[in-house]
Amino acid sequence: MKLDTFLKPGAIAIIGASLDPNKLGWQVLNNLISGGYRGEIYPVNLKASNILGLKTYPTVKQIKNKIDLAVIVLPAKLVSEEVKNCAEVEIKNLIIISAGFSESDEKGEALEKELIDIANKWKLNILGPNCLGFVNTKENLNLTFAKSRSRPGNVAFLSQSGALGSAVLDWVANKPYGLSHFVSLGNKAILNENDFFEALIHDENSTLVIAYLEEIEDGESFMTIVSRLSKIKPVAILKAGRTKSGSEAAHSHTGSFTGTHEAVIAGLMRSGAIILDNPEQMFDLIHLAAGRNWTFHNQRLFIISNSGGPLVLAADHAEQIGFKLGEFDSAAFQTLKKVLPSNVHVTNPLDLIGDANHDRYRAAIEVVLADPTCDNLLVLLAPQSALEIEKTAEVIIAETKKYPHKTIFTSFMGGELLNRAKALLATHDIPNFSFPERAITVLAKLVHNREEVKDLREYSAKKSTVLHSKGQKGQQLDYLHAFKILKEFKIPTVQTVKIDRPSDLNRLSYPAVLKIVGPQLLHKTEHKSVALHLKTLQEANEAFKNFAGLLRQEDNYCVAQPMIKGELELILGFKRDRSFGPLIVVGLGGIYTEILNDITVSVSDINSTEALACLKRLKIYRILQGARAQHFDINALIDIMLKVAAIAHEHPEISEMDVNPLFLLHSGLLAVDVRIIL
C-alpha cells in the first residue's frame, strides 16, 4: 500500500473531537494543533460549533474540501458507520483510536470484522483500531493522545503496545535526540508493520527502525520487506509472546496469536533484523544510536578505564558475546608508552590505574582515537580521589568533536559524585550508560548486524506446486510412502522391506531391525515397537511374535531394515509455519532429541552458505567438524538440507517431516527413519 498521503496528509479530520480536555477527542486535536501541524484541520462533532478555535462540522460529509486523513475517536459501536461516511466522501486514510474491538470480546471481534469488510470493499488504509495514533516529527504531525512529544530525530519506532509507545515518547522528551516517526499499530486490522516498513525504505529521515511486536501475521511479506529495508538501515525487533504465558497475554492484549518463538527468530534472522531480548536493550539502542552519524561497521572495540575491576568485567562481557577487542597499531603503542606512566601496561583494554587524572585520560584518548584501527571507544570511569570528574567529561567531549564518525560512548559508574559530569555528557549528546555491559551489548548487536547484512539476500517467497495429498490433514503418511518421497529427492535411505508374515524373515540378512509402523506410532520407542540388534532368524521370529498386539491394531504393519551402526545421529526435517512458511530443523537426533534440544531452525529458502551457518549454531558443530580424530561429511549434510527444503516447497500438502535418526557417516549419510504429517 502507498502511504504517502497517510504519513504526510495535507488536510485532517478529527471525528469525535471534543470540548472536554479529559476526553481523547480533545487531546488528539490539541496535540495536532500545538505540535505546529501546517495543514488544514477539521474537527467533527455533532453539537459543537467551535473547538480550540477551529470551526467544527457535524459530519465529515459536510466538509467541502478534500480530506487526506481522518482520525476516529468514538465509541466502538459508532465507528463502522463513520468509516462508511469517510469512504463515501473518498477519504482513503483513517486512524481508529477507539478500543473495544478484537482485543476485548466476541462482540468486539464482530465489530472489527465489519471494519475489515468495509475497508476491503472501499480499499481503505486503516491504522488500528485500539491504537495510540502516529507521529511524523518532520511534518510537525502528532496524531496521538500521548502527553509527551518527541523532537525530530532519526529513529522510527513502531509499537503494537500503545503504553510502550507512550513510554518511549516520554523517555525521549527530554533527550537531545528524538524520533522521526512513531506508529502505534494497535490491532492491525488493515495496516500492519509491513506497510510501514515498506514506507520507511525510502525515508531519508529514518536511519534506524525499531519495532515492538506481539505477533507477525504475514511472515513471508515481513521477510520480503525487512530483508530489503535492513540492507539500507538497521532494523531492530523486540518480539513478545516467547512463552505460553506471554502468548496468552499477547492474545488478550491485542487479539494476537504469536506463533512459535523459534519460527519468529528464524524469520527475523532471515530478514537481517537485530533481535532485541528485552525493553532495556530497546531503550539502550535508542540511547546509543539516536541522532548519530556513525556507521557501526567496525567490529573492534577499544576500552579505557581508571579502574581494573570494571575494565576486566567489560572485556569479559565483550568476549562472551563475540565482540572483538582491537589491538593498537605500532605507532599508537609506542606513543602510549611515551605519554603514560611506566607502571601502566599498554594493551587493550587500557587500565590508566587509580591515580589517573583528566590529563592522563586526555593523553590516552587522543592517541587511541588517532589510531586508524579504532572505530569504537568505550571510556569507563569510577570516582577516585585524584580524578576531577567534570574535567574528564570535558576531555571526552572535546575529543569526540574531533572524530564525529567514530563511536565514542561512556560508562560513568557511581552516583552523586558523577551527576554533573553525566549532565555535561548528556548536553553534548554523548551516550553514557550506568553499566558498561549494557552499552557493549547493544553496540555489538549493531556492528555484528551491519557485517551480516552485507551478504544478506533479499527474501522472495516461493510459490509451491500444489500436489494431491494421499490423506487427510493431520494424518501421518504411510511409512513406506514417506521413504519413497526421500528416494525421489535422492536422499540416501536404509533398505526397508515390509514383513507380512514370519516366513518373510527368512530372506533377511542379519543383524537386522524390526519395526512396527502405523498412524498412531509417532514415537516408536515409547510404544516398544522397535526391536534392535536381531542377530539370528530365531531372534527375529521371537520379536515378530512379541509384536502381535501392535499388529492387531488397524493400519499397523511390520518393516525390516539392516542393523546400521551410525557414527552420529541427527534429526533433519521441516515444519510448515502459518506465517513464515516451511522451517528447516536440524540438530542432534535420536531418542533424546526433545530433551537435549540442540537444534537450529531456519527459513527454507537456504543456500549452501546459509545451511553451513545453521550448522555452526549447533553445540555439536565442533563434533561435526571433527573431534576425537573423527571426521564427518558436512558437505553431504548440507546437500541433504537443501533437498529437504526442496521437498517442503514441492510438497505443500506436507505440514511436517522429520528424518530421525539421520546417520552422519565419515563419508555420506543415511536416513534410517522418517515421519511425514499431512
Side-chain angles (χ1 to χ4, degrees):
M1 295 183 179
K2 298 296 183 183
L3 297 181
D4 291 347
T5 55
F6 188 103
L7 294 171
K8 301 175 184 178
I12 300 171
I14 308 295
I15 302 172
S18 174
L19 288 165
D20 184 352
N22 294 313
K23 291 191 174 182
L24 299 186
W26 184 91
Q27 293 164 21
V28 172
L29 179 61
N30 182 64
N31 277 350
L32 181 60
I33 295 170
S34 60
Y37 172 64
R38 294 179 290 270
E40 298 295 322
I41 303 173
Y42 299 93
V44 176
N45 181 295
L46 276 173
K47 299 177 180 178
S49 60
N50 185 292
I51 301 177
L52 291 173
L54 295 174
K55 179 182 177 181
T56 303
Y57 297 80
T59 172
V60 73
K61 289 185 174 182
Q62 292 190 20
I63 302 172
K64 302 302 181 184
N65 296 333
K66 177 177 173 53
I67 303 296
D68 294 315
L69 174 67
V71 183
I72 299 178
V73 197
L74 292 170
K77 62 183 180 181
L78 304 177
V79 169
S80 291
E81 190 62 35
E82 288 303 324
V83 172
K84 289 178 187 176
N85 290 339
C86 289
E88 289 171 2
V89 294
E90 298 185 350
I91 300 175
K92 296 293 186 183
N93 301 310
L94 298 99
I95 301 173
I96 300 176
I97 303 286
S98 317
F101 292 87
S102 65
E103 82 284 355
S104 58
D105 52 26
E106 290 184 2
K107 186 177 179 181
E109 287 182 10
L111 289 173
E112 188 162 317
K113 185 180 182 304
E114 184 180 4
L115 270 183
I116 293 170
D117 291 341
I118 297 169
N120 289 334
K121 176 183 177 181
W122 293 88
K123 295 182 172 55
L124 306 177
N125 295 328
I126 294 179
L127 176 62
N130 182 34
C131 75
L132 184 63
F134 88 92
V135 173
N136 180 346
T137 56
K138 187 180 179 185
E139 301 296 319
N140 295 328
L141 182 59
N142 182 354
L143 282 170
T144 74
F145 55 89
K147 291 183 178 181
S148 302
R149 299 176 186 172
S150 169
R151 67 186 69 199
N154 66 321
V155 178
F157 179 60
L158 283 62
S159 179
Q160 202 168 344
S161 164
L164 191 59
S166 182
V168 169
L169 287 172
D170 183 59
W171 186 72
V172 300
N174 64 347
K175 299 288 190 294
Y177 46 77
L179 306 177
S180 58
H181 296 81
F182 163 70
V183 180
S184 171
L185 295 166
N187 293 4
K188 303 193 295 188
I190 298 298
L191 294 178
N192 61 32
E193 63 277 0
N194 295 336
D195 299 299
F196 292 97
F197 285 144
E198 189 167 26
L200 290 168
I201 289 175
H202 302 294
D203 181 58
E204 295 180 355
N205 298 310
S206 304
T207 59
L208 171 64
V209 179
I210 300 177
Y212 165 78
L213 301 174
E214 292 177 359
E215 54 92 24
I216 301 173
E217 187 173 346
D218 188 351
E220 295 210 74
S221 292
F222 177 94
M223 292 186 291
T224 299
I225 296 166
V226 176
S227 64
R228 290 172 56 206
L229 178 60
S230 63
K231 293 279 285 185
I232 302 168
K233 59 193 76 173
V235 181
I237 307 294
L238 175 59
K239 172 66 173 63
R242 300 184 177 199
T243 64
K244 181 180 179 182
S245 298
S247 297
E248 291 173 353
H251 179 55
S252 65
H253 181 207
T254 56
S256 301
F257 289 101
T258 61
T260 66
H261 178 58
E262 293 80 6
V264 172
I265 294 300
L268 294 180
M269 292 179 68
R270 179 60 187 86
S271 305
I274 298 169
I275 301 171
L276 301 175
D277 301 318
N278 49 56
E280 180 180 80
Q281 289 183 4
M282 182 183 74
F283 283 99
D284 285 347
L285 181 59
I286 296 173
H287 185 48
L288 179 70
R292 320 290 177 212
N293 198 22
W294 300 337
T295 57
F296 302 110
H297 282 297
N298 192 315
Q299 297 200 48
R300 293 183 297 271
L301 175 66
F302 289 79
I303 307 174
I304 297 175
S305 176
N306 68 335
S307 176
L311 186 83
V312 173
L313 291 171
D316 282 346
H317 183 69
E319 185 171 337
Q320 287 167 2
I321 63 174
F323 202 168
K324 299 175 184 176
L325 295 181
E327 294 183 6
F328 299 125
D329 70 6
S330 58
F333 179 82
Q334 293 301 328
T335 306
L336 286 170
K337 293 283 284 184
K338 291 178 183 177
V339 301
L340 296 177
S342 59
N343 59 341
V344 172
H345 179 53
V346 177
T347 187
N348 182 34
L350 182 59
D351 184 1
L352 301 180
I353 65 177
D355 64 349
N357 58 19
H358 68 280
D359 287 326
R360 191 179 300 172
Y361 263 103
R362 177 186 292 109
I365 293 172
E366 283 179 346
V367 176
V368 173
L369 287 177
D371 186 336
T373 66
C374 173
D375 280 318
N376 305 302
L377 175 61
L378 170 60
V379 181
L380 305 180
L381 182 147
Q384 306 278 6
S385 59
L387 187 64
E388 296 177 273
I389 299 171
E390 290 168 50
K391 286 188 176 180
T392 305
E394 291 169 356
V395 165
I396 296 169
I397 293 165
E399 293 302 316
T400 298
K401 291 178 180 178
K402 298 177 186 177
Y403 299 93
H405 297 293
K406 295 199 175 192
T407 306
I408 304 166
F409 55 112
T410 63
S411 178
F412 279 27
M413 300 176 65
E416 186 176 349
L417 292 174
L418 303 175
N419 287 341
R420 293 179 65 181
K422 288 179 180 179
L424 266 176
L425 295 172
T427 301
H428 290 83
D429 201 11
I430 295 173
N432 179 73
F433 294 82
S434 300
F435 301 102
E437 292 81 4
R438 290 172 55 178
I440 292 170
T441 295
V442 292
L443 179 59
K445 284 180 177 288
L446 269 171
V447 297
H448 291 160
N449 174 261
R450 299 332 288 161
E451 185 66 28
E452 289 164 357
V453 297
K454 289 179 182 178
D455 299 320
L456 181 69
R457 294 181 296 118
E458 290 185 8
Y459 180 83
S460 179
K462 289 187 177 181
K463 291 184 178 179
S464 299
T465 303
V466 178
L467 302 179
H468 293 291
S469 170
K470 297 196 173 189
Q472 298 178 349
K473 186 176 180 181
Q475 177 181 330
Q476 183 178 191
L477 188 66
D478 175 73
Y479 189 76
L480 291 176
H481 187 73
F483 267 107
K484 183 180 177 183
I485 290 177
L486 296 186
K487 292 175 184 177
E488 288 173 358
F489 284 81
K490 295 182 170 53
I491 295 176
T493 60
V494 67
Q495 183 183 5
T496 305
V497 296
K498 189 176 181 182
I499 303 297
D500 292 316
R501 57 191 63 84
S503 60
D504 292 339
L505 299 172
N506 295 327
R507 53 192 170 88
L508 298 182
S509 297
Y510 294 91
V513 175
L514 293 185
K515 301 177 181 179
I516 304 302
V517 297
Q520 305 305 318
L521 303 178
L522 295 182
H523 297 284
K524 299 178 187 64
T525 303
E526 294 177 5
H527 291 277
K528 298 181 180 180
S529 63
V530 180
L532 303 171
H533 304 289
L534 302 174
K535 301 182 182 67
T536 65
L537 175 61
Q538 182 180 353
E539 290 182 0
N541 273 302
E542 186 67 26
F544 190 79
K545 187 186 299 183
N546 292 336
F547 287 148
L550 288 171
L551 286 171
R552 281 194 291 269
Q553 296 178 22
E554 187 178 1
D555 297 324
N556 286 358
Y557 60 89
C558 182
V559 298
Q561 297 172 334
M563 185 69 206
I564 303 294
K565 179 175 170 46
E567 303 295 342
L568 187 64
E569 293 186 26
L570 302 177
I571 182 172
L572 174 60
F574 71 84
K575 183 174 183 178
R576 202 172 296 278
D577 185 79
R578 71 173 189 175
S579 181
F580 292 95
L583 301 171
I584 305 301
V585 178
V586 63
L588 183 64
I591 61 175
Y592 299 117
T593 293
E594 290 88 351
I595 298 172
L596 298 175
N597 198 32
D598 184 20
I599 62 170
T600 183
V601 181
S602 62
V603 177
S604 62
D605 74 328
I606 55 173
N607 57 29
S608 57
T609 301
E610 292 156 351
L612 177 59
C614 291
L615 297 177
K616 288 181 177 179
R617 295 198 295 270
L618 294 171
K619 297 172 187 173
I620 61 169
Y621 180 68
R622 291 179 63 187
I623 298 175
L624 296 177
Q625 281 184 298
R628 307 296 184 192
Q630 296 191 84
H631 298 279
F632 297 104
D633 195 341
I634 293 180
N635 289 331
L637 176 56
I638 290 172
D639 180 61
I640 300 304
M641 289 174 68
L642 301 183
K643 288 176 179 177
V644 167
I647 293 174
H649 292 299
E650 295 183 32
H651 283 269
E653 78 278 11
I654 298 176
S655 64
E656 294 182 44
M657 182 184 92
D658 66 65
V659 179
N660 182 25
L662 175 69
F663 284 154
L664 186 58
L665 310 173
H666 296 306
S667 176
L669 38 71
L670 200 61
V672 176
D673 207 68
V674 61
R675 177 181 65 175
I676 290 178
I677 308 296
L678 299 174

Short mmCIF file of all heavy atoms in Angstrom, two decimals, residues 511-545:
data_model
loop_
_atom_site.label_atom_id
_atom_site.label_comp_id
_atom_site.label_asym_id
_atom_site.label_seq_id
_atom_site.Cartn_x
_atom_site.Cartn_y
_atom_site.Cartn_z
N PRO A 511 22.92 -58.93 11.25
CA PRO A 511 21.88 -58.44 12.17
C PRO A 511 20.87 -57.53 11.49
O PRO A 511 21.16 -56.88 10.49
CB PRO A 511 22.68 -57.68 13.24
CG PRO A 511 23.90 -57.23 12.53
CD PRO A 511 24.24 -58.31 11.54
N ALA A 512 19.65 -57.49 12.06
CA ALA A 512 18.55 -56.74 11.46
C ALA A 512 17.76 -56.02 12.54
O ALA A 512 17.97 -56.21 13.75
CB ALA A 512 17.65 -57.68 10.68
N VAL A 513 16.83 -55.18 12.06
CA VAL A 513 15.92 -54.42 12.93
C VAL A 513 14.50 -54.65 12.45
O VAL A 513 14.25 -54.64 11.24
CB VAL A 513 16.24 -52.90 12.87
CG1 VAL A 513 15.22 -52.11 13.68
CG2 VAL A 513 17.64 -52.61 13.35
N LEU A 514 13.59 -54.86 13.37
CA LEU A 514 12.16 -54.92 13.05
C LEU A 514 11.46 -53.73 13.70
O LEU A 514 11.75 -53.37 14.84
CB LEU A 514 11.54 -56.22 13.56
CG LEU A 514 11.98 -57.53 12.90
CD1 LEU A 514 11.17 -58.69 13.46
CD2 LEU A 514 11.85 -57.47 11.39
N LYS A 515 10.53 -53.14 12.95
CA LYS A 515 9.75 -52.01 13.46
C LYS A 515 8.29 -52.22 13.13
O LYS A 515 7.96 -52.72 12.04
CB LYS A 515 10.19 -50.69 12.81
CG LYS A 515 11.63 -50.29 13.00
CD LYS A 515 11.92 -48.99 12.24
CE LYS A 515 13.37 -48.57 12.37
NZ LYS A 515 13.65 -47.32 11.62
N ILE A 516 7.44 -51.86 14.05
CA ILE A 516 6.02 -51.77 13.75
C ILE A 516 5.71 -50.30 13.49
O ILE A 516 6.02 -49.42 14.30
CB ILE A 516 5.15 -52.28 14.91
CG1 ILE A 516 5.55 -53.70 15.27
CG2 ILE A 516 3.67 -52.23 14.52
CD1 ILE A 516 5.44 -54.70 14.14
N VAL A 517 5.11 -50.04 12.33
CA VAL A 517 4.81 -48.66 11.94
C VAL A 517 3.31 -48.52 11.74
O VAL A 517 2.63 -49.49 11.40
CB VAL A 517 5.57 -48.25 10.67
CG1 VAL A 517 7.07 -48.29 10.90
CG2 VAL A 517 5.21 -49.14 9.48
N GLY A 518 2.82 -47.31 11.97
CA GLY A 518 1.39 -47.05 11.80
C GLY A 518 1.06 -45.63 12.16
O GLY A 518 1.89 -44.90 12.72
N PRO A 519 -0.18 -45.21 11.88
CA PRO A 519 -0.55 -43.79 12.05
C PRO A 519 -0.50 -43.30 13.49
O PRO A 519 -0.37 -42.10 13.73
CB PRO A 519 -1.98 -43.75 11.49
CG PRO A 519 -2.47 -45.15 11.52
CD PRO A 519 -1.27 -46.01 11.31
N GLN A 520 -0.59 -44.21 14.47
CA GLN A 520 -0.59 -43.78 15.87
C GLN A 520 0.77 -43.95 16.54
O GLN A 520 0.93 -43.62 17.71
CB GLN A 520 -1.63 -44.58 16.66
CG GLN A 520 -3.03 -44.52 16.08
CD GLN A 520 -3.54 -43.10 15.91
OE1 GLN A 520 -3.35 -42.26 16.79
NE2 GLN A 520 -4.18 -42.83 14.79
N LEU A 521 1.74 -44.46 15.80
CA LEU A 521 3.04 -44.77 16.41
C LEU A 521 4.08 -43.71 16.04
O LEU A 521 5.06 -43.98 15.33
CB LEU A 521 3.51 -46.16 15.95
CG LEU A 521 2.55 -47.32 16.25
CD1 LEU A 521 3.09 -48.63 15.71
CD2 LEU A 521 2.33 -47.43 17.77
N LEU A 522 3.86 -42.50 16.52
CA LEU A 522 4.78 -41.41 16.18
C LEU A 522 6.13 -41.59 16.88
O LEU A 522 7.17 -41.30 16.31
CB LEU A 522 4.16 -40.07 16.58
CG LEU A 522 2.89 -39.67 15.81
CD1 LEU A 522 2.41 -38.30 16.26
CD2 LEU A 522 3.11 -39.69 14.31
N HIS A 523 6.09 -42.03 18.13
CA HIS A 523 7.34 -42.26 18.89
C HIS A 523 7.45 -43.76 19.16
O HIS A 523 6.89 -44.28 20.12
CB HIS A 523 7.33 -41.46 20.20
CG HIS A 523 7.28 -39.99 19.99
ND1 HIS A 523 8.37 -39.24 19.59
CD2 HIS A 523 6.25 -39.11 20.09
CE1 HIS A 523 8.03 -37.97 19.48
NE2 HIS A 523 6.75 -37.86 19.77
N LYS A 524 8.18 -44.43 18.30
CA LYS A 524 8.21 -45.89 18.34
C LYS A 524 8.81 -46.43 19.63
O LYS A 524 8.38 -47.46 20.14
CB LYS A 524 8.98 -46.41 17.12
CG LYS A 524 8.36 -46.02 15.78
CD LYS A 524 9.19 -46.53 14.62
CE LYS A 524 8.66 -46.00 13.30
NZ LYS A 524 8.75 -44.54 13.21
N THR A 525 9.82 -45.75 20.18
CA THR A 525 10.46 -46.22 21.40
C THR A 525 9.46 -46.28 22.54
O THR A 525 9.44 -47.23 23.33
CB THR A 525 11.64 -45.31 21.77
OG1 THR A 525 12.55 -45.26 20.66
CG2 THR A 525 12.38 -45.84 22.98
N GLU A 526 8.61 -45.26 22.65
CA GLU A 526 7.63 -45.21 23.74
C GLU A 526 6.62 -46.35 23.62
O GLU A 526 6.10 -46.85 24.63
CB GLU A 526 6.91 -43.86 23.73
CG GLU A 526 7.82 -42.69 24.08
CD GLU A 526 7.10 -41.35 24.01
OE1 GLU A 526 5.87 -41.36 23.79
OE2 GLU A 526 7.76 -40.31 24.17
N HIS A 527 6.31 -46.78 22.39
CA HIS A 527 5.34 -47.86 22.18
C HIS A 527 6.01 -49.24 22.13
O HIS A 527 5.34 -50.24 21.89
CB HIS A 527 4.58 -47.63 20.86
CG HIS A 527 3.65 -46.46 20.90
ND1 HIS A 527 2.39 -46.52 21.42
CD2 HIS A 527 3.82 -45.17 20.49
CE1 HIS A 527 1.80 -45.34 21.33
NE2 HIS A 527 2.65 -44.49 20.77
N LYS A 528 7.33 -49.25 22.35
CA LYS A 528 8.11 -50.51 22.29
C LYS A 528 7.85 -51.24 20.98
O LYS A 528 7.63 -52.46 20.96
CB LYS A 528 7.77 -51.39 23.49
CG LYS A 528 8.13 -50.75 24.83
CD LYS A 528 7.80 -51.66 26.01
CE LYS A 528 8.20 -50.97 27.33
NZ LYS A 528 7.89 -51.83 28.51
N SER A 529 7.89 -50.48 19.90
CA SER A 529 7.60 -51.04 18.58
C SER A 529 8.86 -51.19 17.73
O SER A 529 8.78 -51.29 16.51
CB SER A 529 6.58 -50.18 17.84
OG SER A 529 7.10 -48.88 17.61
N VAL A 530 10.03 -51.23 18.37
CA VAL A 530 11.29 -51.40 17.66
C VAL A 530 12.08 -52.51 18.35
O VAL A 530 12.23 -52.51 19.58
CB VAL A 530 12.13 -50.11 17.64
CG1 VAL A 530 13.44 -50.34 16.89
CG2 VAL A 530 11.35 -48.97 17.01
N ALA A 531 12.60 -53.43 17.56
CA ALA A 531 13.48 -54.49 18.06
C ALA A 531 14.83 -54.36 17.35
O ALA A 531 14.90 -54.52 16.13
CB ALA A 531 12.88 -55.86 17.82
N LEU A 532 15.87 -54.05 18.10
CA LEU A 532 17.20 -53.80 17.54
C LEU A 532 18.12 -55.00 17.75
O LEU A 532 17.85 -55.88 18.57
CB LEU A 532 17.82 -52.56 18.20
CG LEU A 532 17.04 -51.25 18.11
CD1 LEU A 532 17.68 -50.20 19.01
CD2 LEU A 532 16.97 -50.75 16.68
N HIS A 533 19.22 -55.02 16.99
CA HIS A 533 20.30 -56.00 17.18
C HIS A 533 19.81 -57.44 17.10
O HIS A 533 20.21 -58.29 17.90
CB HIS A 533 21.01 -55.77 18.53
CG HIS A 533 21.55 -54.39 18.71
ND1 HIS A 533 22.63 -53.91 18.02
CD2 HIS A 533 21.13 -53.37 19.51
CE1 HIS A 533 22.87 -52.66 18.38
NE2 HIS A 533 21.97 -52.31 19.28
N LEU A 534 18.94 -57.71 16.16
CA LEU A 534 18.47 -59.09 15.97
C LEU A 534 19.53 -59.83 15.16
O LEU A 534 19.70 -59.60 13.96
CB LEU A 534 17.12 -59.09 15.25
CG LEU A 534 15.99 -58.32 15.97
CD1 LEU A 534 14.74 -58.27 15.12
CD2 LEU A 534 15.70 -58.92 17.34
N LYS A 535 20.23 -60.74 15.81
CA LYS A 535 21.40 -61.37 15.18
C LYS A 535 21.05 -62.62 14.39
O LYS A 535 21.81 -63.03 13.52
CB LYS A 535 22.44 -61.71 16.26
CG LYS A 535 22.95 -60.52 17.06
CD LYS A 535 24.01 -60.97 18.07
CE LYS A 535 24.50 -59.81 18.92
NZ LYS A 535 23.43 -59.29 19.81
N THR A 536 19.91 -63.25 14.73
CA THR A 536 19.57 -64.52 14.08
C THR A 536 18.10 -64.53 13.68
O THR A 536 17.29 -63.73 14.15
CB THR A 536 19.82 -65.70 15.03
OG1 THR A 536 18.92 -65.59 16.15
CG2 THR A 536 21.26 -65.72 15.53
N LEU A 537 17.74 -65.52 12.83
CA LEU A 537 16.36 -65.70 12.43
C LEU A 537 15.49 -66.01 13.64
O LEU A 537 14.34 -65.54 13.74
CB LEU A 537 16.27 -66.83 11.40
CG LEU A 537 14.86 -67.23 10.95
CD1 LEU A 537 14.16 -66.05 10.28
CD2 LEU A 537 14.94 -68.42 9.97
N GLN A 538 16.02 -66.78 14.58
CA GLN A 538 15.26 -67.12 15.78
C GLN A 538 14.89 -65.87 16.58
O GLN A 538 13.75 -65.72 17.04
CB GLN A 538 16.07 -68.09 16.65
CG GLN A 538 15.33 -68.55 17.90
CD GLN A 538 16.16 -69.50 18.75
OE1 GLN A 538 17.24 -69.92 18.33
NE2 GLN A 538 15.65 -69.85 19.92
N GLU A 539 15.86 -64.97 16.75
CA GLU A 539 15.58 -63.73 17.48
C GLU A 539 14.55 -62.88 16.75
O GLU A 539 13.70 -62.25 17.37
CB GLU A 539 16.88 -62.94 17.68
CG GLU A 539 17.85 -63.58 18.66
CD GLU A 539 19.10 -62.74 18.86
OE1 GLU A 539 19.20 -61.66 18.21
OE2 GLU A 539 19.98 -63.14 19.64
N ALA A 540 14.62 -62.89 15.43
CA ALA A 540 13.67 -62.12 14.64
C ALA A 540 12.26 -62.69 14.78
O ALA A 540 11.27 -61.95 14.91
CB ALA A 540 14.09 -62.10 13.17
N ASN A 541 12.14 -64.02 14.75
CA ASN A 541 10.82 -64.65 14.93
C ASN A 541 10.24 -64.34 16.29
O ASN A 541 9.03 -64.09 16.44
CB ASN A 541 10.95 -66.17 14.74
CG ASN A 541 10.81 -66.57 13.28
OD1 ASN A 541 9.81 -66.28 12.64
ND2 ASN A 541 11.83 -67.24 12.74
N GLU A 542 11.08 -64.36 17.32
CA GLU A 542 10.63 -64.06 18.67
C GLU A 542 10.12 -62.61 18.75
O GLU A 542 9.08 -62.33 19.37
CB GLU A 542 11.76 -64.29 19.66
CG GLU A 542 11.37 -64.15 21.12
CD GLU A 542 10.40 -65.22 21.58
OE1 GLU A 542 10.39 -66.33 20.98
OE2 GLU A 542 9.64 -64.96 22.53
N ALA A 543 10.87 -61.67 18.15
CA ALA A 543 10.46 -60.26 18.15
C ALA A 543 9.14 -60.07 17.41
O ALA A 543 8.25 -59.34 17.86
CB ALA A 543 11.55 -59.40 17.52
N PHE A 544 9.00 -60.75 16.25
CA PHE A 544 7.77 -60.63 15.46
C PHE A 544 6.58 -61.13 16.27
O PHE A 544 5.49 -60.55 16.24
CB PHE A 544 7.92 -61.42 14.17
CG PHE A 544 6.82 -61.18 13.18
CD1 PHE A 544 6.80 -60.05 12.38
CD2 PHE A 544 5.77 -62.09 13.06
CE1 PHE A 544 5.78 -59.82 11.47
CE2 PHE A 544 4.74 -61.87 12.15
CZ PHE A 544 4.74 -60.73 11.36
N LYS A 545 6.79 -62.23 17.02
CA LYS A 545 5.73 -62.79 17.86
C LYS A 545 5.33 -61.79 18.96
O LYS A 545 4.15 -61.63 19.27
CB LYS A 545 6.21 -64.09 18.48
CG LYS A 545 5.11 -64.86 19.24
CD LYS A 545 5.69 -66.08 19.94
CE LYS A 545 6.32 -67.05 18.95
NZ LYS A 545 6.84 -68.26 19.63
#
